């Protein structure tokens, strides 16, 4: 979860940007050609939209799958061929969310191998069955990882310490949100949703894909390559439930053999693109402390309180240490994870492509608050390394067996970049106004 | 603030013995006897605290930077306007400060009037914060600026009047130290004053800010009381000792500007290029130290104030050294290069900023001791007032403009580029001082002579005159 903090009573906006896969090559990263399709081949709009984007390189492909069925999830699959496709099986029945389908099993046949994807929607929509989504050919999958936005937590920071030890309000479960249809424009997709209980405020995610290197347009202006995607997340008009509310957003990462397991913070002297921020945080999946990074989620520890922020709209963003998580719990909230990652005991993978054993970690992002001229309230604390947010305990998830192919992928890296959350700061606590805040993070 | 103090302390005793010291008519306790040292020490105490209030309140925005920005919803450029508006009146007033004290008000009334301006300005500033009206705060800073610089002129005039002779350099040094003490105390306590007030008021906000600034205004009130007491003591001493009212002795004629020699213009460039890399940086420094070096707010304020803390004791010491060795241009070069190194350290490394800021404090003191006396070497005495007035005027103009530019740069491009900008300003000063060295060398000028050589020349000139 990533946490967003609010300063005062009022509408809260937060944006998170999530980057997706980035390939770490020695030298210049190559451009890719990005092809996007929405709900490919679905006979009728499914309960949650599925966006499939293929970033095709010379001899490899990155598949980005963004799904709003359950908790919003971004899945990245890296294959070693330019011709891989995604096959989705959906099963719709009355035990899942209300839908307009008749219960059926429907998998579209592979009509044309070169089509972008064939979707078997019947099995996909059935959250009780795994294997609804596959990447064909399965042997070409080198690496896969996913990030799930699970929950939005809120707590009342009475002592203004930005330390969520006080009682948390009932969390917003993103899997229970009513999500809008994915809004595509160019290489960007926008997804907004609000709680079923009230229509006050919404949480939006905007996924951007890139064909070439560049830098984000909005603060914190993270650098991207053709191998990354960026995800901006923001809260728009969400009413805080206390005077000193702070929000936490929970991110869960799922990976087959090596999920993202540790967070590194890099310091730099350069704050040209993000004034007054000198750090970049990366949640990486590294092989046993080696320096080879397979995938990462990258963000700058800042959140902005305005859609078009100025320097003083910045609020610090902290993260917790990643903690192991039950893969089963993650699969239960996210349809995409359930579909792609098979049950641990069902597959017994060993050397299978990509390693689709379910291993998960979760991370909390908390945005801070400038008080008394500092980030950290009354005392100086380092960024929340090792901070335990004391939510219900997780069982350890196994790392799964490492696929042989992963060892060869030493120069390819998947990166997920998460941008920080922006907050709407009220000028007058009695007159909240709705302002759209966005936060982006990309390095 | 203006370095009027620094330059006066190194010019030494300028005034002639003008008082007809006829002594008291009847015996009185030593402390009440204006000619007695003990009484003059009492007067010295009041004189030092005369400037304390204005130096304390000058850097209030820097000490409360994040609070001001947050509570009033400003951006950095607007925040720096608070410093710019202080400097604007002094672009013009520097010429007229001496004139007003000499011809218009007299020293006693002039001091009280300027103290009143300082006090009222700070109160308006605090009221603007209380009512959340930024324009009113700018007006307050403007009024504060009218009083602040001229008060420094008055303070020095008092010092010359009461302490001419051997004690004058010490008095100037003490006055400067008190000024720096005021700045330091401000940097270190205003943060906690704000927190306490915020707890009292209920929550942080512009009301808490206004209340904190009003508390700071009490130091200005204290300075006003000192001005009144000084006026009373001065009038009493005049009656008892039958001495003349003090005068600044400055004559300002604007037409003299066209006669300024090239070395003087180079000195002006050094002055502007150097000081714009110091004061705006201190104004914006707190957040820099918090963000880049992970300091706590209290630590950041402390390291920000180290420049002032160091210059308080270092100025007299370095002044003494420069007086003894001469070679002002070399010292200026050393000071400028050291400042450049300090800024580069802060910009491009993660080394402990205490080192860089201490270097900054030392070089700032050294430059003040070495630069301002050079003006006296290049212009004749009857143009000295105009030259100093002009130098302060463009210094304030430069500070006003660069303060706003610094805020704009920070808002758009961040601290690294801001530091690079400051390094560029210091480089301009460096180029000017190197040029000055060569110009002076080629003209066989006086600026870089050692003190011994200078003394010899003076003796020769005196013996020739006989």
């Amino acid at each position: 979860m990533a946490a967003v903090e609010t300063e005062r009573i009022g509408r809260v906006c937060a944006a998170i940007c999530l980057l997706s896969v980035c390939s770490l090559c020695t030298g210049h990263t190559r451009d890719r050609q990005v092809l996007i399709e929405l709900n490919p081949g679905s006979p009728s709009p499914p309960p949650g939209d599925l966006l499939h984007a293929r970033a095709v390189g010379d001899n490899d492909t990155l598949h980005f799958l963004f799904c709003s069925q359950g908790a919003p999830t971004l899945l990245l699959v890296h294959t070693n061929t330019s011709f891989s496709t995604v096959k989705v099986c959906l099963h719709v029945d009355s035990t899942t969310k209300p839908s307009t389908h008749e219960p059926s099993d429907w998998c579209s046949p592979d009509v044309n191998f070169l089509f972008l994807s064939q979707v078997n929607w019947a099995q996909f929509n059935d959250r009780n069955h795994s294997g609804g989504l596959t990447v064909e050919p399965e042997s070409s999958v080198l690496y896969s990882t996913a990030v799930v936005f699970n929950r939005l937590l809120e707590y009342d920071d009475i002592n203004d310490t930005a330390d969520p030890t006080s009682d948390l309000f009932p969390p917003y479960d993103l899997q229970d949100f009513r999500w809008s249809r994915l809004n595509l424009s160019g290489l960007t997709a926008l997804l907004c949703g609000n709680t079923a209980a009230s229509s006050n405020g919404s949480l939006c995610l905007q996924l951007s894909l890139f064909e070439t290197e560049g830098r984000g347009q909005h603060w914190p202006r993270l650098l991207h390559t053709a191998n990354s995607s960026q995800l901006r997340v923001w809260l728009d008009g969400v009413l805080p439930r206390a005077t000193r509310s702070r929000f936490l957003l929970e991110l869960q990462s799922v990976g087959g053999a090596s999920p993202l397991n540790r967070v590194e913070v890099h310091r730099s002297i350069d704050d040209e693109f993000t004034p007054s921020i000198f750090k970049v945080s990366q949640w990486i999946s590294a092989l046993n402390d080696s320096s080879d990074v397979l995938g990462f989620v990258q963000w700058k520890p800042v959140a902005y309180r305005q859609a078009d922020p100025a320097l003083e709209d910045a609020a610090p963003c902290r993260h917790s240490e990643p903690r192991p998580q039950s893969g089963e719990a993650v699969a239960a909230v996210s349809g995409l994870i359930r579909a792609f990652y098979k049950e641990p005991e069902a597959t017994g993978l060993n050397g299978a492509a990509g390693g689709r054993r379910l291993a998960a970690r979760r991370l909390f992002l908390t945005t801070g608050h400038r008080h008394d001229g500092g980030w950290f309230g009354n005392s100086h604390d380092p960024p929340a390394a090792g901070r335990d947010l004391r939510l219900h305990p997780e069982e350890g998830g196994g790392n799964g067996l490492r696929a042989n192919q992963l060892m060869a992928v030493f120069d390819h890296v998947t990166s997920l970049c998460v941008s920080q959350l922006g907050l709407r700061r009220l000028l007058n606590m009695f007159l909240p106004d709705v302002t759209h805040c966005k936060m982006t993070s990309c390095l | 603030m203006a370095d009027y103090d620094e330059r006066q302390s190194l010019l030494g005793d300028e005034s002639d013995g003008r008082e007809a010291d006829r002594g008291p008519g009847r015996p009185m306790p030593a402390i009440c006897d204006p000619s007695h040292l003990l009484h003059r020490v009492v007067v010295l105490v009041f004189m030092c605290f005369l400037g304390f209030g204005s130096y304390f309140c000058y850097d209030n925005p820097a000490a409360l930077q994040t609070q001001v920005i947050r509570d009033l919803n400003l951006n950095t450029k607007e925040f720096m306007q608070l410093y710019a508006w202080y400097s604007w009146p002094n672009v013009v007033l520097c010429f007229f400060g001496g004139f007003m004290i000499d011809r218009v008000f007299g020293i006693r009334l002039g001091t009280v009037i300027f103290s009143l301006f300082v006090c009222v300005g700070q109160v308006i500033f605090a009221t603007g914060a209380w009512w959340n009206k930024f324009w009113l705060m700018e007006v307050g800073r403007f009024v504060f600026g009218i009083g602040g610089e001229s008060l420094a002129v008055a303070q020095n005039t008092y010092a010359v009047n009461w302490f001419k002779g051997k004690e004058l350099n010490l008095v100037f040094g003490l006055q400067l130290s008190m000024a720096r003490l005021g700045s330091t105390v401000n940097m270190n306590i205003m943060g906690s004053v704000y927190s306490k007030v915020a707890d009292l008021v209920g929550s942080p906000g512009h009301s808490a800010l206004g209340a904190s600034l009003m508390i700071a205004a009490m130091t200005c009130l204290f300075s006003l009381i000192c001005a009144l007491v000084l006026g009373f003591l001065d009038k009493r001493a005049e009656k008892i000792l039958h001495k003349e009212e003090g005068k600044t002795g400055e004559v300002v004629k604007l037409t003299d500007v066209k006669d300024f020699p090239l070395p003087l213009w180079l000195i002006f460039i050094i002055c502007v290029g150097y000081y714009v890399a110091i004061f705006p940086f201190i104004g914006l420094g707190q957040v820099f130290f918090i963000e880049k070096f992970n300091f706590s707010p209290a630590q950041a304020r402390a390291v920000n104030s180290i420049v002032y803390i160091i210059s308080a004791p270092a100025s007299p010491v370095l002044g003494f050294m420069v007086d003894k060795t001469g070679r002002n241009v070399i010292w200026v070069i050393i000071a400028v290069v050291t400042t450049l190194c300090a800024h580069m350290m802060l910009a491009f490394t993660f080394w402990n900023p205490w080192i860089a800021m201490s270097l900054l404090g030392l070089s700032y003191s050294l430059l003040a001791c070495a630069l301002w006396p050079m003006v006296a070497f290049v212009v004749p005495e009857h143009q000295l007032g105009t030259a100093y007035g002009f130098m302060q005027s463009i210094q304030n103009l430069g500070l006003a403009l660069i303060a706003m530019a610094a805020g704009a740069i920070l808002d758009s491009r961040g601290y690294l580029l801001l530091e690079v900008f400051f390094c560029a300003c210091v480089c301009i000063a460096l180029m000017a001082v190197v040029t000055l060295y060569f110009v002076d060398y080629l003209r066989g000028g006086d600026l870089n002579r050692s003190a011994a050589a200078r003394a010899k020349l003076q003796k020769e000139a005196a013996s020739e005159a006989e």
Side-chain angles (χ1 to χ4, degrees):
Chain A
M1 269 186 332
V4 179
E5 300 187 61
T6 53
E7 258 188 315
R8 298 276 183 268
I9 293 177
R11 310 282 176 165
V12 172
C13 308
I16 303 177
C17 177
L18 181 68
L19 285 180
S20 57
V21 181
C22 167
S23 214
L24 183 69
C25 306
T26 54
H28 175 68
T29 56
R30 296 180 286 267
D31 292 353
R32 290 179 182 272
Q33 189 193 17
V34 175
L35 305 149
I36 297 184
E37 54 183 357
L38 187 61
N39 297 323
S42 171
S44 53
D49 280 331
L50 174 71
L51 176 88
H52 172 227
R54 293 176 73 219
V56 183
D58 293 337
N59 51 9
D60 63 352
T61 308
L62 293 171
H63 294 268
F64 299 92
L65 292 131
F66 187 49
C67 182
S68 60
Q69 186 171 96
T73 308
L74 180 64
L75 170 68
L76 175 74
V77 183
H78 183 209
T79 62
N80 62 2
T81 164
S82 307
F83 301 108
S84 53
T85 62
V86 153
K87 189 161 134 178
V88 179
C89 290
L90 282 177
H91 173 69
V92 179
D93 67 20
S94 54
T95 62
T96 59
K97 290 191 212 161
S99 72
T100 58
H101 303 276
E102 292 294 327
S104 64
D105 258 23
W106 187 81
C107 286
S108 64
D110 287 352
V111 173
N112 186 336
F113 189 67
L114 289 179
F115 276 176
L116 294 177
S117 69
Q118 295 85 27
V119 176
N120 297 329
W121 288 91
Q123 196 176 346
F124 183 81
N125 279 343
D126 176 13
R127 304 261 298 271
N128 296 324
H129 294 83
S130 65
L133 184 139
T134 54
V135 172
E136 304 270 320
E138 287 200 27
S139 55
S140 68
V141 174
L142 298 171
Y143 181 76
S144 69
T145 191
V147 170
V148 179
F149 293 86
N150 188 21
R151 285 184 300 177
L152 184 71
L153 296 171
E154 185 181 353
Y155 71 100
D156 188 9
D157 192 10
I158 307 167
N159 294 328
D160 201 26
T161 55
D163 190 0
T165 53
S166 43
D167 291 331
L168 298 160
F169 290 115
Y172 296 104
D173 280 309
L174 297 188
Q175 60 170 319
D176 294 331
F177 271 37
R178 281 194 311 249
W179 296 104
S180 66
R181 293 285 129 190
L182 269 173
N183 192 345
L184 278 182
S185 69
L187 293 178
T188 321
L190 178 65
L191 175 73
C192 284
N194 49 27
T195 62
S198 70
S199 54
N200 273 339
S202 57
L203 179 106
C204 294
L205 300 98
Q206 183 182 49
L207 176 69
S208 306
L209 297 153
F210 306 102
E211 293 185 327
T212 171
E213 274 185 32
R215 193 174 278 280
Q217 287 304 308
H218 305 277
W219 280 358
R221 299 202 69 196
L222 288 164
L223 195 60
H224 62 80
T225 66
N227 301 324
S228 8
S229 62
Q230 292 187 356
L231 192 63
R232 305 176 73 193
V233 175
W234 63 90
L235 295 180
D236 188 358
V238 174
L239 274 176
R241 290 177 272 191
T243 52
R244 288 177 189 254
S245 267
R246 298 192 192 277
F247 286 85
L248 301 94
L249 187 60
E250 183 182 31
L251 289 168
Q252 291 176 320
S253 101
V254 180
S258 44
L260 310 176
N261 54 14
R262 71 167 191 264
V263 178
E264 293 178 339
V265 177
H266 296 279
R267 284 170 89 189
S268 152
I269 62 169
D270 188 2
D271 67 334
E272 182 185 354
F273 296 108
T274 318
S276 86
I277 304 298
F278 293 92
K279 300 193 201 63
V280 173
S281 304
Q282 290 189 144
W283 188 16
I284 60 173
S285 82
L287 306 173
N288 290 337
D289 293 331
S290 71
S291 59
D292 297 330
V293 177
L294 292 176
F296 59 90
V297 176
Q298 200 172 60
W299 67 92
K300 284 197 176 170
V302 65
Y304 295 105
R305 291 185 280 258
Q306 305 272 357
D308 205 9
L311 181 63
E312 45 283 338
D313 295 324
C317 179
R318 285 201 250 173
H319 60 85
S320 68
E321 274 302 296
R323 295 169 53 78
Q325 171 95 11
S326 154
E328 184 55 37
V330 180
V333 301
S334 166
L336 188 56
I337 301 298
R338 171 72 71 199
F340 183 70
Y341 288 100
K342 297 189 172 43
E343 325 265 5
E345 54 273 14
T347 57
L349 295 173
N350 198 348
R356 282 186 267 146
R357 282 284 296 277
L358 202 53
R361 297 281 186 279
R362 64 148 197 206
L363 179 93
F364 293 94
L365 285 183
T366 312
T367 61
H369 160 67
R370 286 191 196 220
H371 180 65
D372 190 32
W375 290 131
F376 304 113
N378 297 323
S379 65
H380 170 64
D381 293 323
R387 191 168 292 274
D388 183 358
L389 289 169
R390 286 201 292 121
L391 294 177
H392 33 90
E394 289 356 275
E395 313 128 42
N399 264 343
L401 295 171
R402 204 171 313 142
N404 292 335
Q405 286 85 335
L406 281 175
M407 302 303 283
V409 188
F410 60 89
D411 59 345
H412 291 273
V413 152
T414 58
S415 71
L416 294 171
C417 168
V418 176
S419 58
Q420 299 77 27
L421 306 173
L423 300 172
R424 168 73 184 118
R425 181 185 62 184
L426 266 193
L427 298 182
N428 181 336
M429 59 194 290
F430 300 109
L431 293 174
D433 53 311
V434 178
T435 303
H436 185 74
C437 315
K438 286 187 288 196
M439 185 172 69
T440 55
S441 68
C442 296
L443 219 205
Chain B
M1 289 195 65
D3 294 274
Y4 194 96
D5 300 326
E6 287 96 327
R7 65 158 156 110
Q8 283 287 37
S9 73
L10 296 146
L11 285 180
D13 181 9
E14 282 187 322
S15 59
D16 317 310
R18 282 169 298 160
E19 51 183 44
D21 200 349
R22 282 196 262 151
R26 53 186 166 89
M28 52 175 70
I31 203 167
C32 297
D33 179 0
S35 59
H36 200 277
L37 179 65
L38 200 54
H39 180 87
R40 292 192 298 150
V41 167
V42 170
V43 168
L44 175 62
V45 169
F46 283 109
M47 227 184 273
C48 288
F49 278 104
L50 185 64
F52 183 86
S54 73
Y55 280 102
F56 184 92
C57 294
Y58 168 76
D59 260 326
N60 271 340
L64 294 171
Q65 182 184 354
T66 39
Q67 290 89 331
V68 169
I69 287 180
R70 183 194 62 209
D71 293 341
L72 300 162
N73 218 13
L74 306 175
N75 62 25
T76 315
K77 196 161 81 88
E78 288 169 334
F79 169 77
M80 291 309 275
Q81 294 274 29
L82 295 174
Y83 282 96
W85 279 109
Y86 177 90
S87 295
W88 288 125
N90 295 303
V91 174
V92 171
L93 261 158
C94 289
F95 289 111
F96 301 116
F99 175 79
M100 284 201 288
I101 288 179
D102 288 345
R103 305 282 185 85
V104 180
F105 298 121
I107 178 68
R108 292 189 285 264
L109 186 60
T111 309
V112 172
I113 288 178
F114 295 137
S115 280
L116 210 58
F117 266 96
V118 164
C119 210
V120 166
Q122 179 68 10
V123 167
I124 296 177
F125 182 55
T127 312
W130 180 269
W131 284 341
N132 198 8
K133 299 242 180 295
F134 185 62
W135 63 267
L136 194 58
M137 293 176 78
E138 290 175 311
V139 167
R141 288 293 279 183
F142 183 82
V143 172
F144 181 78
I146 292 175
E149 297 290 292
S150 312
L151 190 62
V153 175
Q155 197 178 11
N156 288 309
T157 310
Y158 262 126
V160 168
N161 191 13
W162 282 81
F163 293 97
K164 59 180 195 319
K166 290 198 304 251
E167 306 150 333
L168 194 59
N169 278 320
L170 175 66
V171 166
F172 279 130
L174 276 173
Q175 282 183 341
L176 182 60
S177 297
M178 281 304 291
R180 293 298 162 236
L181 183 69
S183 303
T184 308
V185 170
N186 161 67
M187 287 290 192
N188 287 296
I189 74 163
M190 276 314 281
S192 35
V193 165
Y194 179 88
S195 307
K196 299 260 181 330
V197 169
D199 289 339
L200 276 173
V201 168
S203 69
H206 57 85
S207 312
L209 184 66
S212 313
L213 292 172
M214 205 61 87
I215 291 175
M218 285 183 358
T219 59
C220 297
L221 196 62
F222 176 59
S223 292
L224 180 61
I225 293 172
C226 290
L228 290 167
V229 169
L230 265 179
F232 164 72
L233 288 175
D234 193 64
K235 190 157 182 70
R236 183 171 168 276
E238 183 185 329
K239 242 180 2 189
I240 293 175
L241 299 178
H242 305 286
K243 65 182 173 86
E244 285 178 8
E245 204 174 359
K247 297 206 181 297
T248 61
E250 283 181 10
V251 174
V252 173
K253 266 181 12 176
L254 288 177
T255 52
D256 285 341
V257 172
K258 61 175 170 45
D259 294 330
F260 285 160
L262 174 64
L264 187 63
W265 289 104
L266 290 170
I267 291 174
F268 290 161
I269 294 175
I270 298 168
C271 174
V272 175
Y274 185 85
Y275 283 110
V276 299
I278 300 285
F279 294 119
F281 172 70
I282 293 178
L284 293 171
Q286 192 192 357
V287 176
F288 179 57
F289 296 120
I290 292 174
E291 288 306 316
K292 182 169 177 188
F293 300 97
N294 288 329
F295 276 21
S296 72
Q299 282 176 313
R301 275 193 291 269
V303 78
N304 216 14
S305 66
I306 198 72
V307 174
Y308 295 142
I309 293 177
I310 283 182
S311 84
S315 296
V317 170
L318 291 169
F320 183 75
M321 180 186 71
V322 175
D323 277 343
K324 284 296 163 216
T325 61
R327 300 208 184 281
N328 294 47
V329 180
I330 296 295
W331 290 118
V332 171
I333 290 178
I334 291 175
V336 172
V337 167
T338 312
T339 304
L340 187 63
C341 291
H343 271 297
M344 283 176 31
M345 267 201 267
L346 288 167
F348 300 119
T349 72
F350 283 103
W351 297 346
N352 197 335
W354 286 99
I355 303 170
M357 292 303 276
S358 304
L359 275 179
L360 209 62
L362 283 170
S363 55
Y364 163 72
S365 311
L366 180 60
L367 185 112
C369 299
L371 183 73
W372 293 88
M374 282 206 283
V375 178
F377 294 136
V378 295
V379 294
E381 202 167 319
H382 66 273
Q383 289 181 340
L384 214 50
T386 316
Y388 277 122
F390 198 78
M391 192 157 161
Q392 280 203 282
S393 173
I394 57 169
Q395 183 195 27
N396 279 291
L397 181 65
L399 280 175
L401 293 173
I402 298 297
M404 296 195 298
I409 292 175
L410 178 60
D411 273 341
S412 61
R413 303 306 284 268
Y415 276 103
L416 181 66
L417 257 67
L418 181 66
E419 280 286 3
V420 168
F421 171 71
F422 286 142
C423 289
C425 293
V426 177
C427 281
I428 290 175
L430 185 62
M431 289 193 290
V433 72
V434 170
T435 311
L436 180 65
Y437 176 83
F438 286 113
V439 165
D440 182 66
Y441 182 76
L442 292 171
R443 291 188 185 182
D446 198 31
L447 291 176
N448 211 27
R449 287 222 179 82
S450 69
R454 219 172 261 148
K456 203 166 81 162
L457 268 176
Q458 270 188 336
K459 222 164 51 169
E460 283 171 10
S463 62
E464 266 178 35
E466 285 164 10

